[in-house]
Amino acid sequence: VVVREFADYQCPACGRFSDASARLKEEYVESGQVRFVYFDLPLQQHKNAMPAAQAARCAGDQGAYWAMHDQLYDMQTEWSGSGDPVETFTRYANELGLEERRFLRCMNTELHREAVEQSLRVAMQLRVTSTPTVLVDNIRLTRPGWGQLSAVVERELANGNQD
């Protein structure tokens, strides 16, 4: 079963869904029953969403993608309206024990902008325009949250086991 989430780090509803995706990882992904794929969909009205998506990927270059991903959602209200989010993201990188100069170089050169834009193109091809959009296999959740997510995942796992 493949769960795909299209999300924007600055979107409050995505922040609320991040608890469900964390639980999904604990209960299904770690045991190998589900593959979870996160797509960046930074919305134009969120000026800090693109740098946030790049911050997660820059942290990923040092093995801390999911740690930064979780930190960005946990601290969303802190950086969301910031005029200089990179300063805040760099502090998070330091708290995660990352090499600051390498992280900043990645951010300042926008090393991962192309990858984030490619993720945006995938979303457009699938006609995904709002965040969070969550697909379990190809079933789009109408109310992304743990209740619906776990129910659809369980149903898909059961269907798959009958083949």
Side-chain angles (χ1 to χ4, degrees):
V1 175
V2 179
V3 174
R4 291 177 290 174
E5 176 186 0
F6 293 84
D8 169 323
Y9 284 105
Q10 200 174 336
C11 139
C14 299
R16 289 189 295 276
F17 182 75
S18 67
D19 292 340
S21 69
R23 193 165 164 192
L24 176 80
K25 285 178 227 157
E26 283 170 24
E27 296 190 21
Y28 294 99
V29 176
E30 288 170 12
S31 62
Q33 299 176 81
V34 168
R35 194 162 77 93
F36 178 71
V37 187
Y38 182 90
F39 289 89
D40 289 303
L41 179 52
L43 302 174
Q44 278 183 318
Q45 65 266 34
H46 291 152
K47 65 178 174 41
N48 291 340
M50 176 59 95
Q54 293 182 66
R57 290 170 184 258
C58 288
D61 291 345
Q62 298 186 51
Y65 177 85
W66 289 112
M68 180 64 85
H69 168 96
D70 294 346
Q71 181 76 349
L72 290 168
Y73 280 125
D74 291 347
M75 303 301 288
Q76 188 181 63
T77 53
E78 179 185 34
W79 60 264
S80 193
S82 170
D84 182 16
V86 174
E87 187 181 322
T88 307
F89 300 156
T90 303
R91 191 178 81 239
Y92 299 163
N94 283 325
E95 289 166 4
L96 294 170
L98 305 184
E99 191 185 309
E100 182 177 325
R101 283 181 51 213
R102 184 175 169 198
F103 179 81
L104 269 173
R105 187 169 56 245
C106 178
M107 290 299 293
N108 292 332
T109 60
E110 292 197 297
L111 185 65
H112 296 294
R113 176 177 273 279
E114 182 56 42
V116 173
E117 288 172 349
Q118 178 60 36
S119 183
L120 261 168
R121 286 192 287 275
V122 169
M124 286 189 278
Q125 286 164 356
L126 293 172
R127 293 186 175 80
V128 172
T129 55
S130 63
T131 57
T133 293
V134 181
L135 304 169
V136 178
D137 288 337
N138 288 312
I139 302 157
R140 191 177 294 216
L141 300 189
T142 52
R143 293 182 315 282
W146 179 247
Q148 193 181 39
L149 176 64
S150 59
V152 177
V153 164
E154 281 295 332
R155 194 177 70 214
E156 287 298 288
L157 286 170
N159 290 344
N161 292 341
Q162 292 168 358
D163 294 340

